[in-house]
Amino acid sequence: MRKLFIAGNWKMNKGIKETGIFFNRLFELIDNYDSIDVAIAPPFTSLPEAVKMCREKKVLIGAQNMYFEEEGAFTGEISPLFLKELNVDFVILGHSERRHIFNESNELISKKVKTALKHDLTPVLCVGETLKEREDEKTETVLKEQMDSAFNDISPDDAKKVIIAYEPVWAIGTGKTATPEIAGDAHFFIRKRIKELYNSIVAEEIRIVYGGSVKPENAKALLDVKDIDGALIGGASLSADSFAKIINIGMEV
Ligand code: 13P
């Protein structure tokens, strides 16, 4: 049985003060959520506040990115050691905004995945096709390239620890959600590729979550799909009320 992973990616939103306000409200709205993993990835500067507020609440806290080197002349970058020092649990890697706005390559993301695993930070590896790639029927080719690169040289035991987020680029921040059928097909393909790269045990254990315009209104239909093990939520995670609604839906599916 795979535990659902319901995570908010705040992107470049919420400083320290707003982080405090969010968690105070969230903990008024959710309780007894041990059956699922609840997680938030705030901006770097809000991480200490988020970790502090969630210490006794079993909400996982993650970073939205990091560099693959541990220290040195890399102006503006964040080391995995700094994240460990803050007791961060996971790190989002290869988000489509990192790939497309900041030109991160599969090769760079692959190095980051290895570094995260080395430091016991759970990688949340984002994969997904653009609208053009989908229209050109290249979805599976793109997903395969992104996955094969990210899992290159990763042992089966480490592979199981990765959480894959399928985030079709055309569904991010557009209000256009993938239908449960489209998302289900992509998740099925991703799990099948993991089975080919490793074996059926890794494929059964690895968690694959969906991201792209997830809201309280569409969460149940998506989370009901067999191969969908949770959600990575952008816009709807900025309000504690809507994020709590999705958590409560996750606890019931
Ligand atoms: P939205 O939920 O705002 O579409 O963002 C999805 C996302 O990019 C999560 O990482």
Side-chain angles (χ1 to χ4, degrees):
M1 271 302 283
R2 299 182 293 264
K3 202 173 187 187
L4 281 196
F5 180 79
I6 306 280
N9 170 13
W10 284 353
K11 309 190 180 183
M12 202 173 71
N13 295 286
K14 293 195 194 294
I16 295 169
K17 192 164 161 224
E18 283 174 287
T19 297
I21 295 169
F22 174 92
F23 282 113
N24 278 330
R25 176 72 181 143
L26 184 71
F27 295 131
E28 285 172 11
L29 301 168
I30 62 169
D31 200 10
N32 288 328
Y33 42 87
D34 280 10
S35 60
I36 64 171
D37 281 335
V38 175
I40 287 283
F44 288 125
T45 50
S46 298
L47 281 170
E49 180 71 5
V51 169
K52 188 178 84 190
M53 295 213 61
C54 295
R55 194 162 288 147
E56 271 142 38
K57 295 290 192 179
K58 294 205 184 111
V59 168
L60 303 170
I61 299 298
Q64 298 172 15
N65 186 24
M66 63 163 208
Y67 199 50
F68 66 85
E69 296 281 7
E70 291 171 6
E71 64 180 1
F74 305 105
T75 300
E77 292 296 319
I78 294 288
S79 158
L81 301 178
F82 306 159
L83 300 181
K84 287 305 285 182
E85 196 177 17
L86 289 178
N87 285 319
V88 160
D89 304 292
F90 69 96
V91 57
I92 299 175
L93 297 173
H95 189 277
S96 84
E97 286 142 23
R98 301 296 323 167
R99 291 179 190 266
H100 298 289
I101 305 175
F102 301 100
N103 293 321
E104 289 198 10
S105 64
N106 279 334
E107 197 190 350
L108 176 67
I109 294 158
S110 159
K111 289 182 182 163
K112 292 183 177 191
V113 171
K114 283 194 186 65
T115 301
L117 288 164
K118 178 177 165 209
H119 292 281
D120 207 17
L121 288 159
T122 299
V124 176
L125 167 72
C126 301
V127 295
E129 79 289 358
T130 62
L131 183 59
K132 169 125 188 18
E133 287 161 347
R134 173 159 286 272
E135 285 171 352
D136 292 348
E137 298 183 0
K138 289 197 184 129
T139 298
E140 294 191 349
T141 312
V142 170
L143 293 177
K144 183 170 170 296
E145 275 169 14
Q146 292 172 339
M147 286 170 58
D148 289 7
S149 167
F151 284 95
N152 180 33
D153 258 349
I154 304 282
S155 71
D157 277 346
D158 272 346
K160 282 183 203 167
K161 298 176 193 159
V162 177
I163 297 173
I164 301 174
Y166 170 61
E167 299 208 314
V169 181
W170 47 271
I172 296 177
T174 57
K176 237 196 226 176
T177 325
T179 60
E181 197 192 5
I182 289 178
D185 284 351
H187 283 234
F188 178 80
F189 174 80
I190 291 168
R191 204 177 298 287
K192 188 168 86 103
R193 186 66 193 146
I194 290 291
K195 189 174 167 187
E196 289 160 4
L197 291 173
Y198 295 97
N199 53 48
S200 51
I201 299 170
V202 179
E204 271 309 303
E205 284 188 26
I206 200 163
R207 289 185 287 180
I208 309 171
V209 306
Y210 169 79
S213 298
V214 177
K215 310 183 242 321
E217 298 75 36
N218 57 28
K220 182 167 169 22
L222 288 160
L223 294 174
D224 271 343
V225 177
K226 180 176 159 285
D227 279 309
I228 299 185
D229 306 316
L232 187 54
I233 305 146
S237 74
L238 294 175
S239 140
D241 288 65
S242 65
F243 189 57
K245 278 188 196 150
I246 300 173
I247 291 167
N248 287 324
I249 292 166
M251 281 160 60
E252 278 164 24
V253 295

